[in-house]
């Protein structure tokens, strides 16, 4: 079996410190925006306006956002350490530990880990990003993402994540030649619910490409 992890490490880009989103620089000095930056920039007006309205009407929005980011970062690190068999829960806060314990039944479906927190890019799509996990889920090679939320999610809320993880699958294929056609989003909420969203990449390739094309078209018009 090809050493996919080694292939990816050889081409791993560098994450740049910029204020206008996440950007990556390849070993060949090409600079690409992250898929999350592209999706945020090309989100619908309804979504952008909804976020703006929430910030205006929520006096504690900066605190809530910072706390959510902190909880998400710690939860990701716990899962990373768990999958690497190097977990020490004494290093973490209670809520991220609770999210980990909530997701643990789903984590048991993971096997044959290829890479964790893997930076990748696509010259074809001119995009980059960092995948949470590439491994087998229920025996099928998958792009796996985990999310911590304040409340349970519905399928339509996950749409942007489906585009994002589909993009990771295309980056992986460009490097390795191996197609991944399953994306898995695991969600833990503070309401003590856990959810598993499993989708097929082929269903999201076209809308993903449209969003990337829209981003570059918009930025060409601005420049």
């Amino acid at each position: 079996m090809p050493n996919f992890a080694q292939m990816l490490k050889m081409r791993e880009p560098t994450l740049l410190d910029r204020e206008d989103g996440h950007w990556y620089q390849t070993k060949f000095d090409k600079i690409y925006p992250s898929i999350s930056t592209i999706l945020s920039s090309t989100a619908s007006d309804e979504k952008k306006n909804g976020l703006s309205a929430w910030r205006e009407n929520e006096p504690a929005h900066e605190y809530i956002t910072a706390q959510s980011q902190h909880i998400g970062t710690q939860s990701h690190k716990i899962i990373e350490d768990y999958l690497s068999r190097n977990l020490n829960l004494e290093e973490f806060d209670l809520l991220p530990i609770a999210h980990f314990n909530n997701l643990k039944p789903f984590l048991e479906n993971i096997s044959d880990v290829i890479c964790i927190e893997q930076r990748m890019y696509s010259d074809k799509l001119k995009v980059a990003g960092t995948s949470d996990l590439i491994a087998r889920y229920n025996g099928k090679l998958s792009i796996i993402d985990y999310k911590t939320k304040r409340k349970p999610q519905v399928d339509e809320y996950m749409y942007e994540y489906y585009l994002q993880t589909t993009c990771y699958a295309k980056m992986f294929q460009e490097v390795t030649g191996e197609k991944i056609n399953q994306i898995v989003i695991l969600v833990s909420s503070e309401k003590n619910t856990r959810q598993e969203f499993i989708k097929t990449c082929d269903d999201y390739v076209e809308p993903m490409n449209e969003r990337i094309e829209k981003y570059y078209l918009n930025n060409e018009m601005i420049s």
Side-chain angles (χ1 to χ4, degrees), residues 117-180:
E117 291 292 320
Q118 179 62 54
R119 297 191 300 275
M120 301 182 289
Y121 67 92
S122 166
D123 284 321
K124 181 179 178 181
L125 297 172
K126 297 182 180 180
V127 65
T130 302
S131 171
D132 285 350
L133 178 66
I134 303 175
R136 293 192 179 278
Y137 193 84
N138 291 329
K140 191 169 184 178
L141 190 60
S142 305
I143 300 290
I144 304 167
D145 221 21
Y146 5 93
K147 304 294 180 186
T148 54
K149 299 292 184 180
R150 299 179 71 190
K151 58 184 180 180
Q153 302 295 290
V154 296
D155 189 70
E156 64 182 283
Y157 295 168
M158 298 289 103
Y159 182 73
E160 302 286 288
Y161 298 136
Y162 301 153
L163 300 183
Q164 182 178 349
T165 46
T166 293
C167 192
Y168 295 150
K170 288 302 176 184
M171 294 179 202
F172 180 88
Q173 184 176 3
E174 187 170 317
V175 176
T176 67
E178 184 79 9
K179 181 177 180 178
I180 296 178

Side-chain angles (χ1 to χ4, degrees), residues 2-136:
N3 190 333
F4 295 140
Q6 187 176 36
M7 291 176 171
L8 293 165
K9 286 297 179 186
M10 288 176 63
R11 263 180 53 120
E12 190 168 45
T14 301
L15 179 62
L16 301 178
D17 184 15
R18 292 175 49 156
E19 294 182 356
D20 57 340
H22 291 149
W23 293 73
Y24 294 77
Q25 183 172 349
T26 76
K27 289 181 169 65
F28 304 99
D29 293 329
K30 294 180 179 179
I31 296 176
Y32 296 137
S34 70
I35 183 60
S36 58
T37 295
I38 287 176
L39 293 175
S40 177
S41 175
T42 58
S44 66
D45 289 339
E46 181 182 3
K47 184 166 185 176
K48 289 180 179 177
N49 292 339
L51 181 58
S52 296
W54 175 77
R55 287 171 176 163
E56 290 175 4
N57 296 319
E58 176 52 75
H61 70 87
E62 290 183 354
Y63 172 80
I64 292 172
T65 300
Q67 280 294 102
S68 296
Q69 291 173 344
H70 174 72
I71 291 166
T73 298
Q74 280 212 353
S75 299
H76 275 70
K77 186 64 169 66
I78 293 173
I79 295 172
E80 178 181 338
D81 289 352
Y82 169 76
L83 294 171
S84 302
R85 294 179 171 81
N86 187 35
L87 180 59
N88 179 9
L89 288 176
E90 293 179 1
E91 302 174 4
F92 301 99
D93 299 334
L94 291 177
L95 187 50
I97 292 173
H99 280 303
F100 163 68
N101 287 327
N102 194 31
L103 287 177
K104 201 169 180 183
F106 290 151
L107 300 179
E108 292 174 357
N109 296 329
I110 295 170
S111 63
D112 299 331
V113 172
I114 293 175
C115 49
I116 300 170
E117 291 292 320
Q118 179 62 54
R119 297 191 300 275
M120 301 182 289
Y121 67 92
S122 166
D123 284 321
K124 181 179 178 181
L125 297 172
K126 297 182 180 180
V127 65
T130 302
S131 171
D132 285 350
L133 178 66
I134 303 175
R136 293 192 179 278

Side-chain angles (χ1 to χ4, degrees), residues 194-216:
R194 58 175 168 265
Q195 296 169 281
E196 174 191 60
F197 298 88
I198 300 177
K199 299 293 181 178
T200 300
C201 290
D202 286 347
D203 294 336
Y204 298 94
V205 171
E206 185 174 345
M208 176 206 70
N209 285 330
E210 288 174 355
R211 294 284 287 275
I212 294 172
E213 289 169 5
K214 179 180 178 181
Y215 173 84
Y216 278 105

